[in-house]
């Protein structure tokens, strides 16, 4: 974390900084790090990933307090398990960075390297991904910090164990194959990535360095998918001979209690739609600490694990979490909704996303069979979800419905603000009436298509 860079930004006027950062974001698609916060409708936003995604309870409580002192008191956990602090200003970014340092929270520079939230805890782990992350950052320090790399370059290190990262896509994947060997693959998730090298930890690190060199040559607008296959094979001539076993396992679901192979109990917790307020988080952490929790592990899926709770305290913690706006039960329909901060929290949003989300959960249960993600975006920026989804985008006239796309895509149907509840009801009823035996909601929507959905929404 560069406190000096954050403080240098502080010396510019807030309006000038906002314009500068907005231009930078448009040009580079940069991640909103502490040294380069992102302008949003409620001020500046920073995204940070503590080393290993691990925090002590006092450290997490400090972040909650700092979100209120320097921002608007709203924290978010992203789909990839990173933290976001909202509502900052040009004057508060530098002090926030300094206070994070003072709390002993280490935020490595360079691209995020994501590892299992259960690293070092899960007895079924094949190899130590945290040690691999440290080795990568130490050995490839200058390459990882190269300004020629894409700002959103992603690396995933998979050590094995109960909570796999098979669904997490990355430019570069490093996967433990045995206590001695690591597989290096590019451009994809656990099933679709292309393997390029296999060998010892040192051989894997060397292969990652070669991939970073290829990416740097391409420039910051390119990702691993853009590497010429001929160049890749020239650099890795043995890649076609690698035996690759795709990982299709979804792994441990986040929300709810989990018992590891050694009998230890974990409690997975998700703030509703990935967003929480300082007061609620602080109350949850105080209670968790009083019940014996010792650590926090941020997790993909917009949540975190409470580590160290005695098994007999878990039921009471689940009840308390629900009272504070957190889901600690498996199968919560909110898991399938990606909602941005929305009106009331973000000045760019045209509707209250979380309020609408709750109404949709109650009125349209047919949508929530796990086959699709519902993206509720207050405006066309689509901050909450970067992949195609069933999307409702806010506009001055009401809502744009995109059946399978991004928030900024051309809408398949436009819905007046006063008709949104009717439209939700009709969409759910259309799925219920037309879904075949064993057919998912996503498959039914695809089959109905724009014509079928538009017809359903216009029926009185």
């Amino acid at each position: 974390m560069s406190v000096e860079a954050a403080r240098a930004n502080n010396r510019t006027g807030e309006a000038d900084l906002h314009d500068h950062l907005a231009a930078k974001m448009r040009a580079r698609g940069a991640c909103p790090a502490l040294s380069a916060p992102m302008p949003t409708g409620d001020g500046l936003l920073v995204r940070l990933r503590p080393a290993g995604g691990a925090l002590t309870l006092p450290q997490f409580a400090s972040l909650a307090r700092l979100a209120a002192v320097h921002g608007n008191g709203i924290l978010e956990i992203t789909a990839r398990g990173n933290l976001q602090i909202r509502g900052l200003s040009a004057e508060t970014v530098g002090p926030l960075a300094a206070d994070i340092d003072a709390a002993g929270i280490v935020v490595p520079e360079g691209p995020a390297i994501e590892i299992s939230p259960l690293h070092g805890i899960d007895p079924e782990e094949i190899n130590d991904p945290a040690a691999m992350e440290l080795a990568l950052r130490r050995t490839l320090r200058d390459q990882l910090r190269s300004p020629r790399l894409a700002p959103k370059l992603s690396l995933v290190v998979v050590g094995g164990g109960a909570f796999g990262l098979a669904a997490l896509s990355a430019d570069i994947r490093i996967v433990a194959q045995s206590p001695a060997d690591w597989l290096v693959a590019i451009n994809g998730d656990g099933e679709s990535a292309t393997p390029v090298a296999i060998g010892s930890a040192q051989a894997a690190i060397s292969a990652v360095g070669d991939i970073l060199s290829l990416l740097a040559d391409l420039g910051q607008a390119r990702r691993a998918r853009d590497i010429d296959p001929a160049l890749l094979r020239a650099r890795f001539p043995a890649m076609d001979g690698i035996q690759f076993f795709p990982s299709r396992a979804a792994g441990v679901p986040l929300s709810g209690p989990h018992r590891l192979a050694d009998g230890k109990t974990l409690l997975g917790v998700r703030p509703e739609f990935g967003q929480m307020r300082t007061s609620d988080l602080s109350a949850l952490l105080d209670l968790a600490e009083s019940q014996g929790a010792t650590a926090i592990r941020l997790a993909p899926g917009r949540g975190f694990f409470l580590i160290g709770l005695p098994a007999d305290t878990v039921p009471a913690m689940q009840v308390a979490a629900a009272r504070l706006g957190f889901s600690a039960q498996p199968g919560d329909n909110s898991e399938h909704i990606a909602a941005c901060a929305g009106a009331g929290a973000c000045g760019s949003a045209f509707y209250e996303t979380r309020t609408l989300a709750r109404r949709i959960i109650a009125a349209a249960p047919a949508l929530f069979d796990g086959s699709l993600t519902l993206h509720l975006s207050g405006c066309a920026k689509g901050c909450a979800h970067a992949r195609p989804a069933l999307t409702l985008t806010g506009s001055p006239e009401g809502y744009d419905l995109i059946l399978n796309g991004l928030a900024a895509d051309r809408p398949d149907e436009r819905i007046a603000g006063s008709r949104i509840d009717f439209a939700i009801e009709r969409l759910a009823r259309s799925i219920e009436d037309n879904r075949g035996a064993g057919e998912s909601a996503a498959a039914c929507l695809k089959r109905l298509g724009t014509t079928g959905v538009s017809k359903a929404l216009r029926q009185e």
Side-chain angles (χ1 to χ4, degrees), residues 80 113-116 132 136 153-160 163-177 182-198 204-205 207-208 211-212 215 224 244-249 387:
R80 298 183 76 93
I113 299 178
E114 290 144 341
I115 63 179
S116 167
M132 173 57 80
L136 287 165
L153 182 77
S154 57
L155 293 88
V156 168
V157 181
V158 182
F163 197 95
L165 301 179
L168 211 60
S169 184
D171 290 284
I172 304 173
R173 301 182 70 82
I174 307 100
V175 183
Q177 301 294 286
W182 295 85
L183 173 77
V184 179
I186 67 167
N187 184 34
D189 57 22
E191 184 174 0
S192 62
T194 300
V196 299
I198 191 169
I205 293 169
V208 173
I211 297 166
L212 293 174
L215 290 169
F244 177 54
F245 299 98
S247 175
R248 299 178 178 85
R387 293 185 177 184

Side-chain angles (χ1 to χ4, degrees), residues 100-182:
I100 287 175
D101 272 344
I105 300 169
V106 177
V107 182
E109 293 186 44
I113 299 178
E114 290 144 341
I115 63 179
S116 167
L118 304 187
H119 65 85
I121 298 172
D122 188 347
E124 298 179 71
E125 195 170 69
I126 299 171
N127 210 325
D128 185 356
M132 173 57 80
E133 177 188 356
L134 289 174
L136 287 165
R137 292 195 185 278
R138 182 177 61 248
T139 307
L140 305 176
R141 177 180 181 274
D142 292 338
Q143 282 184 276
L144 286 168
R145 297 182 183 181
S146 170
R148 291 191 57 78
L149 295 176
K152 291 188 176 181
L153 182 77
S154 57
L155 293 88
V156 168
V157 181
V158 182
F163 197 95
L165 301 179
L168 211 60
S169 184
D171 290 284
I172 304 173
R173 301 182 70 82
I174 307 100
V175 183
Q177 301 294 286
S178 71
D181 290 326
W182 295 85

Side-chain angles (χ1 to χ4, degrees), residues 11-82:
R11 289 192 286 268
T12 68
E14 184 169 359
D16 290 341
L17 177 62
H18 190 283
D19 291 344
H20 167 73
L21 290 171
K24 184 176 181 180
M25 291 297 297
R26 286 192 297 269
R28 299 185 61 208
C31 285
L34 277 163
S35 58
M38 181 176 73
T40 68
D42 59 342
L44 301 178
L45 175 148
V46 298
R47 183 179 301 152
L48 56 96
R49 179 175 176 80
L55 293 164
T56 65
L57 266 71
Q59 286 175 334
F60 204 12
S62 292
L63 283 175
R65 179 181 59 81
L66 295 176
V69 171
H70 300 300
N72 60 10
I74 296 177
L75 299 94
E76 296 171 329
I77 305 181
T78 71
R80 298 183 76 93
N82 299 314

Side-chain angles (χ1 to χ4, degrees), residues 227-243:
I227 298 175
D228 186 325
L231 287 177
L232 194 65
R233 283 180 168 77
R235 189 68 63 99
F236 300 102
M239 61 179 283
D240 289 330
I242 296 174
Q243 191 172 21

Side-chain angles (χ1 to χ4, degrees), residues 209-422:
D210 288 341
I211 297 166
L212 293 174
S213 294
L214 292 173
L215 290 169
D217 289 343
L218 289 173
Q220 62 180 221
R222 301 296 185 90
R223 305 288 291 273
R225 60 179 173 268
D226 301 310
I227 298 175
D228 186 325
L231 287 177
L232 194 65
R233 283 180 168 77
R235 189 68 63 99
F236 300 102
M239 61 179 283
D240 289 330
I242 296 174
Q243 191 172 21
F244 177 54
F245 299 98
S247 175
R248 299 178 178 85
V252 175
L254 173 58
S255 296
H258 307 283
R259 186 178 293 274
L260 298 180
D262 60 359
K264 291 179 182 176
T265 300
L266 313 170
L267 181 61
V269 177
R270 291 179 63 257
E272 188 181 42
F273 314 120
Q275 189 178 106
M276 52 201 164
R277 294 192 175 275
T278 290
S279 56
D280 296 329
L281 177 58
S282 297
L284 180 70
L285 294 176
D286 286 346
L287 180 59
E289 188 170 28
S290 73
Q291 295 296 317
T294 57
I296 295 290
R297 294 294 180 87
L298 301 173
R302 306 180 191 276
F304 56 89
F305 286 106
L306 286 168
I307 310 297
L309 285 171
D312 61 358
T313 69
V314 167
M317 279 299 306
Q318 289 177 285
V319 173
R323 189 173 62 248
L324 292 167
F326 295 83
S327 171
Q329 299 282 357
D332 192 311
N333 283 340
S334 67
E335 294 179 7
H336 308 299
I337 298 179
C340 71
C346 178
S348 298
F350 289 99
Y351 70 96
E352 295 183 0
T353 53
R354 291 154 63 87
T355 300
L356 181 61
R358 296 184 191 106
R359 299 208 309 264
I360 293 175
I361 288 172
L367 292 174
F368 302 107
D369 63 354
S371 66
L372 54 78
T373 295
L374 174 61
H375 179 194
L376 301 182
S377 185
C379 72
K381 289 187 292 186
C383 300
H385 195 70
R387 293 185 177 184
L390 175 62
T391 302
L392 275 173
T393 302
S395 73
E397 294 76 31
Y399 303 84
D400 289 345
L401 175 66
I402 300 104
L403 294 180
N404 185 33
L406 306 177
D409 286 350
R410 187 181 187 89
D412 295 300
E413 187 74 19
R414 286 193 162 95
I415 304 167
S418 61
R419 290 179 61 83
I420 186 61
D421 288 323
F422 170 82

